[in-house]
Amino acid sequence: MAAPILKWAGGKRQLLSEITGRFPAEFERYHEPFVGGGAVYFHLEPENGSINDLNDRLVTLYEVIRDRDPEALIAENRTHEHSEEYYYDARDEFNELHELDEKTADERLREASLFVYLNRTCFNGLYRENSSGEFNVPVGRYANPDWVQADRVRALHDALQDTTIHNEDFEYVRGVATEGDLVYFDPPYEPVSTTADFTDYHAEGFDRDDQRRLRDLAVDLDEMGVSVVLSNSPPVAELYEGVDQFTVHVVEATRAINSDADNRGEVAEVLITNVRPERQRRTTLSTFE
Ligand SMILES: C[S@@+](CC[C@H](N)C(=O)[O-])C[C@H]1O[C@@H](n2cnc3c(N)ncnc32)[C@H](O)[C@@H]1O
């Protein structure tokens, strides 16, 4: 059981048992098209399958962790310093590396390492880009941040060995999932209030039409014999009304990352699935409905 290396908005650590309790007891391969920090994927450590995210810097990090000697990334991580001046230089370097069309293996290693460092030292562990695609989160205040993450780099290296990593729209999974597989979707949420805009992971955003596209994909996967579990915010549940194969469960979630401190706390979350109760693992569920 591994743990995420990044702090990531919408991270699912508090909901792991509710989510995985609805997974089927048995499945072939596991796919996670909105992997983000990967709390569910790394908890599960599936033997084989795929992960995906539209964020190319995140994908570079996971590819470097999978493909390079973990000790090389750990050594690079140890080169960083804890100062505000260093943080802003590192942020500039991270954005300059992102602009390069072609990168050497060492430039990719450096970009991955800078990502871990910035994520661990930036304000609230946020990921935000400006309209030019530059990472623009200011420095945070931490007494003793751990940006080396040696144990996690080693654990994630092992966990990722038989995983295919994609950097495209979530619909890629239509081409890779086959009968008996499991797909867990954790898309960017629709804002639950004007102060809780969690759609800001990527300059392009995620709107209602994307949520409809996702629903249509979920229905197609169901027809292909694929198990589907989907997390989302309550307003999205209405898109699944009348889709008989899917049931909607409401659970409470504590959001760890929120730019408005007063808005932290319990927020209802919906889990939508075509896995029928008798096929679910359930052993980890806190409530039985
Ligand atoms: C709610 S987060 C996933 C959080 C993850 N479950 C975790 O535990 O950290 C949603 C992710 O979807 C990605 N994303 C946004 N639009 C996408 C799209 N069209 N296709 C694939 N990924 C997308 C974002 O970059 C973000 O990392």
Side-chain angles (χ1 to χ4, degrees):
M1 193 184 298
I5 190 164
L6 297 178
K7 301 181 195 177
W8 207 249
K12 283 295 168 299
R13 295 191 73 173
Q14 292 91 354
L15 281 176
L16 280 175
S17 55
E18 295 294 329
I19 294 164
T20 59
R22 291 186 170 85
F23 285 178
E26 289 176 21
F27 52 88
E28 299 290 331
R29 292 178 306 152
Y30 176 80
H31 309 280
E32 200 172 324
F34 301 93
V35 73
V40 176
Y41 172 84
F42 291 121
H43 173 79
L44 206 62
E45 290 196 58
E47 278 180 15
N48 96 48
S50 69
I51 57 172
N52 175 68
D53 203 285
L54 210 49
N55 185 319
D56 56 348
R57 299 194 247 218
L58 189 64
V59 165
T60 299
L61 171 64
Y62 291 144
E63 286 175 345
V64 166
I65 291 176
R66 181 190 61 185
D67 300 335
R68 295 286 302 252
D69 176 352
E71 301 312 316
L73 180 59
I74 292 166
E76 191 67 36
N77 289 353
R78 290 196 204 281
T79 65
H80 302 303
E81 294 168 24
H82 193 199
S83 80
E84 187 165 331
E85 192 184 351
Y86 183 89
Y87 175 91
Y88 286 104
D89 286 347
R91 197 177 76 171
D92 287 346
E93 187 186 355
F94 184 58
N95 285 326
E96 282 158 20
L97 283 169
H98 191 235
E99 287 294 297
L100 299 177
D101 292 333
E102 297 277 320
K103 280 172 219 157
T104 64
D106 282 349
E107 284 166 340
R108 283 166 56 79
L109 182 81
R110 180 76 182 158
E111 189 179 17
S113 177
L114 286 166
F115 197 175
V116 177
Y117 168 76
L118 292 168
N119 176 266
R120 290 278 155 188
T121 54
C122 74
F123 178 73
N124 261 1
L126 286 175
Y127 184 87
R128 195 184 59 204
E129 294 174 359
N130 64 18
S131 56
S132 317
E134 290 169 340
F135 175 76
N136 68 352
V137 180
V139 70
R141 305 219 176 281
Y142 302 90
N144 201 9
D146 174 11
W147 56 73
V148 178
Q149 296 287 327
D151 291 343
R152 292 190 185 183
V153 171
R154 293 185 189 111
L156 302 197
H157 172 76
D158 292 343
L160 284 166
Q161 283 312 302
D162 294 316
T163 296
T164 316
I165 305 177
H166 298 252
N167 178 213
E168 50 193 307
D169 181 69
F170 63 86
E171 296 237 18
Y172 86 97
V173 79
R174 195 187 285 282
V176 302
T178 53
E179 188 175 355
D181 286 359
L182 165 64
V183 180
Y184 168 58
F185 291 110
D186 184 21
Y189 297 148
E190 295 200 336
V192 289
S193 75
T194 49
T195 52
D197 185 348
F198 288 100
T199 60
D200 208 12
Y201 300 93
H202 192 270
E204 287 164 41
F206 200 85
D207 62 18
R208 253 288 144 133
D209 287 341
D210 292 312
Q211 294 285 4
R212 285 197 191 87
R213 237 168 19 95
L214 178 56
R215 187 233 10 235
D216 294 345
L217 172 61
V219 169
D220 290 349
L221 290 170
D222 174 73
E223 282 169 10
M224 289 160 60
V226 173
S227 297
V228 177
V229 177
L230 201 141
S231 333
N232 224 311
S233 57
V236 175
E238 68 190 35
L239 294 179
Y240 291 79
E241 280 167 17
V243 185
D244 293 342
Q245 311 89 302
F246 286 87
T247 50
V248 176
H249 312 268
V250 178
V251 293
E252 296 297 311
T254 303
R255 294 234 161 99
I257 296 182
N258 193 318
S259 51
D260 173 2
D262 295 335
N263 211 21
R264 284 186 185 146
E266 299 280 298
V267 180
E269 163 120 6
V270 292
L271 295 179
I272 301 167
T273 186
N274 69 344
V275 183
R276 284 202 286 280
E278 63 275 15
R279 289 190 54 236
Q280 294 176 1
R281 300 171 155 199
R282 298 222 139 214
T283 47
T284 53
L285 286 185
S286 58
T287 50
F288 285 80
E289 51 300 290

